[in-house]
Amino acid sequence: MKKTLFTALALALYLGANAQTVTSPDGNVSVKFYLQDGRPTYEMTYKKKEVIRPSHLGLELAKDKHASNGTNEQDLMDGFTVKDTKTATFDETWRPVWGETATIRNHYNELAVTLNQASMQRDIRIRFRVYDDGMGLRYEFPQQQKLNYIVVKEEHTQFAMTGDHTAYWIPGDYDTQEYETVISKMSEIRSKMKAAITSNASQTQFSPTGVQTSLQLKTDNGLYINLHEAACVNFPTMHLNLDDKNMVFESWLTPDATGMKGYVQTPFNTPWRTVIVSDDARDMLASNLILNLNEPCKIEDTSWIHPTKYCGVWWEMIAGGKQWSYTFDLPSVNLENLDYSKCRPHGQHPANTENVKRYIDFAAKNGLQEVLVEGWNIGWEDWFGHYKDYVFDFQTPYPDFDIKYLNDYAHSKGVKLMMHHETSGSTQNYERHLEAAYSLMNKYGYDAVKSGYVGDIIPRGDYHYSQSTNNHYLYCIKEAAKHHIMVNAHEATRPTGLCRTWPNLVGNESARGTEYEAFGGSEPYHTVILPFTRLQGGPMDYTPGIFVTKLSEWSNNKSYVHTTLCGQLALYLTMYSPLQMAADLPENYEKYDDAFQFIRDVACDWDDSRYLEAEPAKYITVARKAKGTANWFVGGKCDAEGHKSVVRLDFLDKGRKYDCAIYQDAPDADYEKNPSAYVITHRTVKKGDVLKLKQARGGGFAVSLMAK
């Protein structure tokens, strides 16, 4: 016993003498780094509570002929000594092109530790940046004689948890994030995995305990912890694999078709591995840590980038069963040898000139800036499921879509059309046509594109989240910037804050969106967990605003949207995005024109945001101040249990009165039984007034506060 105590004491003294500690500016977050038998190790606390127990760091390298050291390669896991340490403090305030606030403070303390691996005569650096709400760490590889080209077999960044926390997770998958969140103890992930995996057009799981980031956790002692990554550039997307015996998450990178994870040429920095922590759930939603770990904006003139409200030809296909294709005559399509004018139209193609004009008129009447049109271009007859390379040319419209006339008509109404580019997963075909496709957009005045990556990736055998496919997504964004085009990519990798560097990346899907309400529905808590998980890395094009939630009222679809009408209004506030769709049909909005007034009024860009209430998968209430105005909007969304909100208007300007419109669930509203029941009340309010608002099961509320 005495020997054990002596050994433990000796180890503690050794680590204390050799450890490097860096704390956040406010002193609440502390990260300690040290070498344990030559192996990089760190731990983390928040207000003196353990967040991350001692966790190892390192990368496993392939003994590969393409690496500088070939078959003599050695892992970057151990055998290190500390060569140098540097500390620094940084404090700046920057202005996002668009965002939840007009300014963002980037304030951190930093520790950079240079390690030497004597056996291979090379150095690496591990850098920690510690903020008041968490930390980021990354691996850095300076260029040197013995470290030029490496092949990453696996990254072994550990996050050792302090207990069996509650986890809000989706299955780890190399190809899709379109799963519903499971809420369970970490120890239950293995037993719940099989049921959590629902079918998708492209999916590849890797482990019975593998989950995706952004992973939200809650501890029994009241801490909220979020694990994610920032600035994923020229590297694969990171998942987490759980050792459920020891409660340790470890990084798990997406491989390429060869099974390798990453190809690195020095100098190189990996993405940041991030931990956000607080004892207040509202802080998780307000965190800018992911954005701050990305590089500043690289676009000199950003005047052409603008937040956008839009409608479009989409929901009638997704929910109503209409066709993206033009004809049933073709068993297969070869775009180079096909004349569509000789085909018989099937009459179920809504992307036609007259129908699109109807949407343009609706947008112009209601102050929406753009109209999305899916299915405008040739090739949809055999677009999916065939591993087909040359799927679309992204330039040629169907015979019933007059591209010049419709763009001219839209512009005459003060509206623009939004382009749609579905790649069917063929990234090489998209790059083949990208310059011509973007030039066509410039010719006709399109300034935004919704791109899609449904299906398995081509080059065949690759994955949606591999290094090369991630490079493709960023290549498209950079090329789009040259053409002054905004990008909203669906089925792409989950965001990691790159919208700070490339703010023409105005949205992504990268999660289970509204379309799944037409495929059987999502749980009411789904939209009350996404802001804690998926939205940590950037905004989502969730496509809200479905007013006729029982789809059978206008189609043969028996599904229903699992929210009330007011719950749909709330999403324009709680699901932050500079790109917001009024996703329902124009005729469905006309039935509830008084409620649609909120969508007309609500902004997409903000000077200030205040999270008033929050609990993962339970409820979120947020107040936002519209950019360049004194107007505020408040939204609250809840799960299937309902919620009572008390909104104190302390954020309003002192001495000013506001016209207040409250869109609230009716007393008998219910997302299943009575989803369209709502009450609109008007009153005059001032700073300090209190609104008491009851949310129905699966419901919500929305409030507009227009300054007098």
Side-chain angles (χ1 to χ4, degrees):
M1 182 68 175
K2 288 183 178 180
K3 183 177 181 181
T4 302
L5 289 173
F6 177 79
T7 303
L9 179 61
L11 178 62
L13 291 171
Y14 171 79
L15 294 180
N18 291 275
Q20 304 288 326
T21 301
V22 58
T23 59
S24 60
D26 68 0
N28 285 336
V29 180
S30 180
V31 176
K32 181 188 292 186
F33 174 84
Y34 51 89
L35 293 178
Q36 189 175 67
D37 297 327
R39 189 168 187 182
T41 308
Y42 79 102
E43 52 192 83
M44 178 181 176
T45 61
Y46 174 75
K47 294 182 179 179
K48 302 189 185 306
K49 292 181 181 179
E50 268 192 308
V51 177
I52 305 293
R53 286 180 171 169
S55 300
H56 293 311
L57 302 170
L59 291 98
E60 182 180 353
L61 304 184
K63 299 180 184 298
D64 189 281
K65 67 180 182 179
H66 301 98
S68 294
N69 294 315
T71 57
N72 296 318
E73 186 59 273
Q74 180 177 316
D75 296 334
L76 292 167
M77 299 281 290
D78 51 22
F80 289 106
T81 57
V82 175
K83 182 176 182 179
D84 181 51
T85 61
K86 287 185 170 61
T87 59
T89 297
F90 186 81
D91 191 1
E92 69 169 356
T93 299
W94 57 279
R95 300 185 69 87
V97 175
W98 45 261
E100 297 186 71
T101 56
T103 60
I104 294 175
R105 190 180 185 189
N106 186 13
H107 188 198
Y108 60 82
N109 291 329
E110 183 177 89
L111 170 67
V113 183
T114 300
L115 303 174
N116 177 256
Q117 191 180 50
S119 61
M120 296 297 288
Q121 301 178 44
R122 61 189 179 188
D123 297 340
I124 68 166
R125 185 179 301 113
I126 301 176
R127 188 178 302 273
F128 298 88
R129 287 183 180 170
V130 184
Y131 294 80
D132 292 344
D133 58 349
M135 72 96 182
L137 69 89
R138 73 180 181 190
Y139 304 91
E140 300 179 357
F141 309 107
Q143 190 175 50
Q144 56 206 279
Q145 193 65 38
K146 299 291 185 176
L147 190 64
N148 290 308
Y149 294 92
I150 60 175
V151 179
V152 178
K153 187 175 181 180
E154 191 55 81
E155 178 188 324
H156 294 281
T157 300
Q158 294 182 343
F159 304 88
M161 298 291 104
T162 60
D164 189 9
H165 305 330
T166 298
Y168 304 80
W169 59 275
I170 61 174
D173 197 301
Y174 298 150
D175 281 305
T176 186
Q177 295 122 351
E178 294 177 348
Y179 294 113
E180 200 155 16
T181 300
V182 180
I183 304 171
S184 75
K185 289 293 188 179
M186 290 164 49
S187 60
E188 297 174 319
I189 291 175
R190 183 184 297 271
S191 63
K192 293 181 179 293
M193 180 63 72
K194 185 176 180 180
I197 298 171
T198 51
S199 62
N200 193 275
S202 180
Q203 53 191 150
T204 310
Q205 296 87 40
F206 58 86
S207 166
T209 58
V211 298
Q212 300 195 42
T213 68
S214 169
L215 176 68
Q216 182 65 48
L217 302 161
K218 185 179 180 181
T219 71
D220 290 339
N221 65 346
L223 290 185
Y224 300 88
I225 302 169
N226 188 280
L227 306 179
H228 194 29
E229 63 178 325
C232 185
V233 176
N234 194 21
F235 213 64
T237 295
M238 180 185 75
H239 301 74
L240 298 171
N241 198 42
L242 176 64
D243 171 357
D244 50 2
K245 292 183 179 179
N246 297 300
M247 297 302 156
V248 177
F249 287 108
E250 187 169 279
S251 58
W252 185 288
L253 304 179
T254 305
D256 64 9
T258 73
M260 292 297 104
K261 302 298 179 77
Y263 300 83
V264 171
Q265 178 184 356
T266 63
F268 184 80
N269 305 323
T270 69
W272 296 92
R273 282 59 186 100
T274 63
V275 183
I276 303 173
V277 61
S278 180
D279 50 17
D280 188 332
R282 296 174 298 178
D283 294 340
M284 311 304 289
L285 301 178
S287 175
N288 288 306
L289 186 146
I290 303 293
L291 286 175
N292 279 329
L293 286 170
N294 278 266
E295 293 185 12
C297 178
K298 291 190 176 182
I299 302 174
E300 287 189 23
D301 174 19
T302 59
S303 61
W304 50 274
I305 301 171
H306 57 88
T308 302
K309 269 187 287 187
Y310 72 104
C311 62
V313 180
W314 174 73
W315 191 237
E316 56 190 296
M317 292 108 96
I318 288 288
K322 293 186 179 180
Q323 302 292 317
W324 282 263
S325 67
Y326 174 76
T327 181
F328 292 146
D329 286 353
L330 303 171
S332 67
V333 171
N334 185 332
L335 294 184
E336 295 178 324
N337 299 290
L338 181 60
D339 184 357
Y340 271 93
S341 67
K342 296 178 181 178
C343 298
R344 294 171 299 171
H346 51 47
Q348 302 176 41
H349 182 234
N352 64 73
T353 300
E354 288 306 310
N355 194 43
V356 173
K357 280 183 65 179
R358 187 170 68 94
Y359 279 86
I360 292 170
D361 291 340
F362 176 78
K365 177 183 177 182
N366 292 285
L368 306 179
Q369 289 83 44
E370 304 206 3
V371 175
L372 168 72
V373 184
E374 296 201 10
W376 69 277
N377 57 313
I378 62 173
W380 287 92
E381 285 72 20
D382 67 344
W383 72 283
F384 173 73
H386 307 294
Y387 245 160
K388 182 179 178 180
D389 176 16
Y390 201 136
V391 196
F392 300 107
D393 69 4
F394 311 100
Q395 298 162 70
T396 309
Y398 277 126
D400 61 348
F401 184 86
D402 190 330
I403 186 169
K404 182 181 187 306
Y405 171 81
L406 284 169
N407 278 283
D408 288 345
Y409 183 76
H411 296 161
S412 74
K413 296 279 187 175
V415 174
K416 291 185 177 182
L417 293 188
M418 182 180 291
M419 179 54 73
H420 181 239
H421 289 162
E422 175 55 60
T423 69
S424 191
S426 183
T427 60
Q428 61 190 25
N429 182 56
Y430 194 32
E431 291 187 18
R432 184 185 295 141
H433 291 95
L434 197 63
E435 175 62 28
Y438 285 168
S439 295
L440 182 81
M441 290 179 63
N442 291 155
K443 175 181 177 180
Y444 288 114
Y446 291 90
D447 66 1
V449 60
K450 173 184 175 181
S451 55
Y453 294 87
V454 176
D456 295 329
I457 291 294
I458 301 176
R460 299 173 184 89
D462 209 342
Y463 302 105
H464 281 74
Y465 313 141
S466 69
Q467 181 181 27
S468 61
T469 314
N470 283 346
N471 288 347
H472 163 81
Y473 302 136
L474 187 54
Y475 171 75
C476 295
I477 293 163
K478 291 179 179 180
E479 292 301 302
K482 297 175 184 177
H483 288 266
H484 287 193
I485 290 171
M486 299 178 289
V487 177
N488 165 30
H490 283 226
E491 296 90 26
T493 191
R494 53 188 170 273
T496 58
L498 290 174
C499 55
R500 177 189 180 185
T501 311
W502 299 99
N504 65 317
L505 177 59
V506 292
N508 283 101
E509 183 190 40
S510 307
R512 184 181 173 104
T514 294
E515 63 186 349
Y516 278 84
E517 300 285 10
F519 311 150
S522 298
E523 290 293 335
Y525 67 71
H526 182 62
T527 54
V528 200
I529 186 58
L530 285 176
F532 288 93
T533 54
R534 159 62 185 81
L535 272 69
Q536 284 290 348
M540 179 179 178
D541 181 29
Y542 188 73
T543 61
I546 306 301
F547 277 15
V548 179
T549 59
K550 293 186 176 180
L551 305 182
S552 60
E553 291 186 18
W554 62 272
S555 73
N556 294 323
N557 194 326
K558 302 302 181 184
S559 297
Y560 67 96
V561 182
H562 288 52
T563 66
T564 64
L565 187 151
C566 284
Q568 288 289 300
L569 292 180
L571 298 179
Y572 290 90
L573 280 306
T574 60
M575 294 279 291
Y576 167 68
S577 176
L579 187 71
Q580 293 283 16
M581 187 180 193
D584 213 334
L585 309 183
E587 55 266 34
N588 289 342
Y589 287 130
E590 290 168 1
K591 296 177 183 178
Y592 303 101
D593 187 68
D594 55 350
F596 190 74
Q597 186 60 45
F598 182 80
I599 296 179
R600 294 187 190 100
D601 291 338
V602 71
C604 294
D605 200 13
W606 310 101
D607 275 337
D608 196 4
S609 294
R610 312 281 181 90
Y611 287 94
L612 308 178
E613 300 177 300
E615 181 63 24
K618 292 293 185 181
Y619 53 81
I620 296 172
T621 302
V622 63
R624 302 190 192 276
K625 186 180 183 183
K627 179 69 68 72
T629 77
N631 301 329
W632 286 81
F633 296 85
V634 187
K637 183 73 182 68
C638 70
D639 65 359
E641 300 300 315
H643 183 65
K644 293 180 180 179
S645 292
V646 178
V647 178
R648 302 184 185 280
L649 303 180
D650 297 336
F651 47 81
L652 298 180
D653 293 341
K654 187 176 181 180
R656 193 165 204 162
K657 293 185 177 181
Y658 294 78
D659 288 326
C660 174
I662 303 170
Y663 303 78
Q664 186 176 1
D665 293 322
D668 60 344
D670 183 279
Y671 80 94
E672 292 179 295
K673 299 175 182 178
N674 197 15
S676 299
Y678 60 91
V679 177
I680 303 174
T681 57
H682 297 269
R683 54 188 285 196
T684 299
V685 299
K686 64 183 184 306
K687 181 181 177 69
D689 285 350
V690 177
L691 304 178
K692 295 182 179 181
L693 304 166
K694 182 181 178 181
Q695 301 174 52
R697 296 177 64 244
F701 68 84
V703 179
S704 61
L705 297 153
M706 303 300 195
K708 291 189 174 183

